[in-house]
Amino acid sequence: PDYYFEHRRAQEHALGQVPEVFEQVQARFSQMSGRPYEGPCELYQMKDAKTALVVMGSAAGTAKAVVDLLRREGRRVGLLKPWLFRPFPRKAIAAALKHVESVAVLDRGMSFGSFGPLYLEISSALYADTCGTPEMQPHLANIIYGLGGRDLRPDQIRKLYDDLESDRLRPDELHYVGLRDEGDLR
């Protein structure tokens, strides 16, 4: 239609109101449940983390248990769980990851011929926040997991932290967790 452009701009404006409404809903839900909800993402053990995972959804619960185990071993690991994908909380995420050395971004979806959607948003947020200064950015790796409803197991999460800490995850390629045959598919 003739007003398509204006309609899309109006949608963008409405989406811009989401963070404020989201905070109100979080505050109300926190009152009702007694559980703390604050901000556009959950930061778990991130204060002094040198290595972190970014994951959305139910896999974050499993990852928290692994973080607790690794913390008891003296490892400085953390977890960032975005509550929102749109609008993407780029400033909050960039601030949370600024001090971290290595980050694995876990995507439960694929964008064929590219990286996962969450990874692309995270890398964009970090690039924009540092004005493109690579030395100020953490080492990023993109992990594809859980396609078709496949579970992400604690041992797989532990291995991701191990691989991050030893720089075995290359930033210029996709990595897969949970494939039946994890051999070279090329």
Side-chain angles (χ1 to χ4, degrees):
D2 189 39
Y3 283 94
Y4 180 77
F5 195 177
E6 288 76 13
H7 177 70
R8 296 299 285 177
R9 176 60 182 97
Q11 285 179 310
E12 176 66 23
H13 175 73
L15 192 62
Q17 309 307 307
V18 167
E20 182 181 332
V21 174
F22 184 75
E23 287 180 17
Q24 294 168 2
V25 171
Q26 275 187 317
R28 179 77 174 122
F29 191 77
S30 188
Q31 287 175 338
M32 291 170 37
S33 68
R35 299 168 84 186
Y37 293 96
E38 191 174 300
C41 46
E42 178 181 357
L43 306 178
Y44 190 74
Q45 299 287 354
M46 287 294 293
K47 196 172 284 188
D48 67 340
K50 291 293 180 194
T51 305
L53 297 185
V54 178
V55 63
M56 296 181 80
S58 62
T62 306
K64 283 181 188 179
V66 175
V67 167
D68 291 342
L69 176 70
L70 296 177
R71 281 284 177 159
R72 285 193 295 276
E73 294 175 7
R75 293 168 67 177
R76 292 169 56 188
V77 299
L79 174 78
L80 187 149
K81 176 185 177 182
W83 292 107
L84 294 173
F85 190 74
R86 290 288 181 255
F88 195 75
R90 69 175 47 251
K91 288 183 181 179
I93 287 175
L97 295 177
K98 191 173 274 189
H99 70 280
V100 178
E101 294 173 5
S102 297
V103 179
V105 180
L106 282 69
D107 272 292
R108 198 170 200 153
M110 291 182 73
S111 181
F112 296 110
S114 185
F115 291 98
L118 182 58
Y119 176 85
L120 291 174
E121 292 291 339
I122 296 287
S123 58
S124 173
L126 291 173
Y127 183 82
D129 188 59
T130 60
C131 299
T133 331
E135 63 274 4
M136 295 179 67
Q137 298 172 357
H139 170 86
L140 284 177
N142 193 194
I143 313 299
I144 305 297
Y145 80 99
L147 299 183
R150 202 166 287 178
D151 288 332
L152 180 63
R153 299 186 323 262
D155 63 306
Q156 294 168 327
I157 295 170
R158 182 184 182 99
K159 185 173 183 328
L160 285 174
Y161 279 111
D162 292 344
D163 289 347
L164 271 175
E165 289 173 340
S166 64
D167 289 329
R168 285 191 292 256
L169 297 173
R170 293 177 43 107
D172 59 345
E173 62 186 43
L174 286 172
H175 303 275
Y176 301 90
V177 171
L179 287 174
R180 286 194 180 100
D181 176 16
E182 293 193 42
D184 188 6
L185 299 177
R186 287 178 239 159

